[in-house]
Each structure stands twice: as structure tokens, then as C-alpha cells.
Amino acid sequence: MMQLCPCGSNESYQNCCQPYHQGTLWPRTAEALMRSRYSAFALQNADYLLKTWAKTTRPGQFSFEKGLIWQGLEIVEVVKGQIKDKRGQVHFKASYRLEPNESGILEELSQFKKDSAGHWMYIDGEIF
């Protein structure tokens, strides 16, 4: 049975974010990077999250909150961040459940830029 990608693309994980997580492809747009980072959060792939975080803002270490389950991603707006751009913004809402019985929505305006190799990187985000 096909496993759908956590990013909400309605594609299989194998044909969507998995190649990014495995390092065989790099996201070509800021939105693709944002979606792949959401999937990495959902799948608890800290290595990918750190690899795609700009060196200037990357934390020294990263851990996942115990009992936190990401349940869905909604892209609200994308500003620039296309193949030919050097910067971009992605406004998103991510729903979550925190065991045992809390749920909510994280809303963020994320900032992205291309590094010297031309790869999109996450800089930081403003949480609403």
C-alpha cells in the first residue's frame, strides 16, 4: 500500500519528499523545501532539518517534543521563492496533536534563501 507524503501533496512519500530526505535531490523552490521540512518534522528526521537550516541561524542541536504528532499542512501564501529567485517566504499552518489530549495549529511565516551552492535553506520564521 502506498504511503502518502506527510506534506499534503497527495503524492506518495517515495515520489515526493523521500528523495530530499535521502539526499538524492534538493528542493527547487522555497515551498518544496518547506514541505520537505514539514515532512521531516512529521517523520522526526533531525538530520534533514539541520542540513536545510541556514548556518547563520541553525541551532547547535535539535530534538523533538515528546508526544507531538503533526497532522496536516496548509500553505497559506508563497511570496517569491521560485527557481530563479534568491529569497522567498512561505506562510503556512500546521496542525498538531500533543499527547495525551491537546491539539492546535502552528502558524508561521518562514523565510528562505539560497546558499552559495544555489540550494534553498530555511533562515527563520515568525510565529503568529
Side-chain angles (χ1 to χ4, degrees), residues 29-62:
T29 66
E31 180 181 350
L33 179 61
M34 203 268 109
R35 287 181 175 280
S36 69
R37 286 178 55 83
Y38 171 84
S39 290
F41 273 103
L43 299 170
Q44 297 194 354
N45 183 342
D47 290 341
Y48 182 77
L49 292 168
L50 291 170
K51 176 179 148 184
T52 58
W53 212 314
K55 290 179 183 179
T56 56
T57 57
R58 181 186 309 148
Q61 56 185 341
F62 184 83

Side-chain angles (χ1 to χ4, degrees), residues 28-116:
R28 297 185 69 196
T29 66
E31 180 181 350
L33 179 61
M34 203 268 109
R35 287 181 175 280
S36 69
R37 286 178 55 83
Y38 171 84
S39 290
F41 273 103
L43 299 170
Q44 297 194 354
N45 183 342
D47 290 341
Y48 182 77
L49 292 168
L50 291 170
K51 176 179 148 184
T52 58
W53 212 314
K55 290 179 183 179
T56 56
T57 57
R58 181 186 309 148
Q61 56 185 341
F62 184 83
S63 61
F64 296 96
E65 188 168 348
K66 188 175 180 176
L68 181 65
I69 300 167
W70 293 102
Q71 298 186 297
L73 175 67
E74 174 192 348
I75 303 297
V76 177
E77 182 181 27
V78 177
V79 177
K80 295 196 175 194
Q82 301 304 309
I83 293 170
K84 293 183 179 185
D85 295 322
K86 294 192 184 316
R87 290 191 167 268
Q89 295 180 332
V90 180
H91 179 186
F92 71 91
K93 294 179 182 180
S95 58
Y96 64 87
R97 188 174 80 236
L98 184 58
E99 298 296 339
N101 58 6
E102 183 182 331
S103 62
I105 295 177
L106 169 72
E107 184 173 358
E108 180 177 311
L109 178 61
S110 298
Q111 304 293 326
F112 297 89
K113 71 175 182 177
K114 283 188 178 173
D115 67 8
S116 59

